[in-house]
Amino acid sequence: MSDLRITEAFLYMDYLILKATKMDDYEEMMEMKHQDLTGSLMCFRALCCKGPPPARPEYDLVCIGLTGSGKTSLLSKLCSESPENVVSTTGFSIKAVPFQNAILNVKELGGADNIRKYWSRYYQGSQGVIFVLDSASSEDDLETARNELHSALQHPQLCTLPFLILANHQDKPAARSVQEVKKYFELEPLARGKRWILQPCSLDDMDALKDSFSQLINLLEEKDHEAVRM
């Protein structure tokens, strides 16, 4: 074979190798572009097509306690309402109290003598109970509060529900401690087997108050999960 033919053969082989190399580079480039495009599309979907966040669960609660226990003030503070506009509830009122993981629709019932006998008419549909007591009240009022709490804990429409019991006015000098309230109200024997939380509170310590409600929300969620399993 002549030198010219050999040279042509080598040149043709180089051309084939170069062509194959370019094809590999082209396919690799297209694959990289595809990956970049896929990543950009996923990022776009995450940012722009995520949709609204899931709705927070809502729970219907009833809030009871004697007049002067501080129910209205506590709920108003949780709703970021001005304390100057707080008026003691004479009949009932409803507030939507927002939290990060739930919304509590609280039906607050007035605590006067002539209203308490009608409390049970408003219990239906409740998923939890908030009972507020004045930890600095007189012995007579504390006795009345204990009787009302005992009645609520044993009521057919409330006895299986989570209870948040707030020993309010802890900032007052005459306030009784949580342990004193627990013993006086005989909560251990009476509420055995029930879901209940007893917490101290005052308007001066909103962090502690919000933490108490967070514990109540946990109990409400647990009850929801049990209902689903059943």
Side-chain angles (χ1 to χ4, degrees), residues 63-106:
C63 179
I64 53 180
L66 305 189
T67 296
S69 60
K71 304 184 301 295
T72 308
S73 297
L74 292 176
L75 294 175
S76 297
K77 191 72 177 289
L78 286 170
C79 292
S80 302
E81 297 177 359
S82 173
E84 299 174 358
N85 300 326
V86 173
V87 179
S88 182
T89 302
T90 54
F92 76 92
S93 67
I94 299 177
K95 290 184 183 296
V97 186
F99 290 90
Q100 186 174 2
N101 56 340
I103 296 175
L104 304 182
N105 298 313
V106 183

Side-chain angles (χ1 to χ4, degrees), residues 10 15 29 36 76 85 105 122 176 179:
F10 277 116
Y15 165 75
M29 179 183 68
D36 290 343
S76 297
N85 300 326
N105 298 313
Y122 299 90
R176 298 163 179 84
Q179 291 302 321

Side-chain angles (χ1 to χ4, degrees), residues 8 17-18 44 46 51 61 68 82 84 103 111 113 126 132 138 153 156-157 168 170 172 180 213-214:
E8 289 177 350
I17 293 171
L18 179 61
F44 175 79
L61 309 180
S82 173
E84 299 174 358
I103 296 175
D113 293 347
S126 298
V132 184
S138 66
L153 283 166
Q157 291 180 307
N168 196 19
Q170 287 292 309
K172 294 184 178 180
E180 289 173 318
F213 274 85
S214 293

Side-chain angles (χ1 to χ4, degrees), residues 36 43 53 65 73 90 97-98 123 140 174 177 195 199 202 204:
D36 290 343
C43 183
S73 297
T90 54
V97 186
Y123 290 165
D140 289 343
S177 68
R195 298 177 176 85
Q199 291 289 317
S202 70
D204 294 337

Side-chain angles (χ1 to χ4, degrees), residues 211-223:
D211 180 67
S212 299
F213 274 85
S214 293
Q215 293 182 51
L216 175 61
I217 291 171
N218 289 338
L219 291 182
L220 293 167
E221 290 175 343
E222 289 175 7
K223 187 170 176 59

Side-chain angles (χ1 to χ4, degrees), residues 5 42 48 132 152 159-161 171 200 211 214:
R5 291 292 184 180
M42 291 176 63
C48 303
V132 184
C159 61
T160 62
L161 304 182
D171 52 328
D211 180 67
S214 293

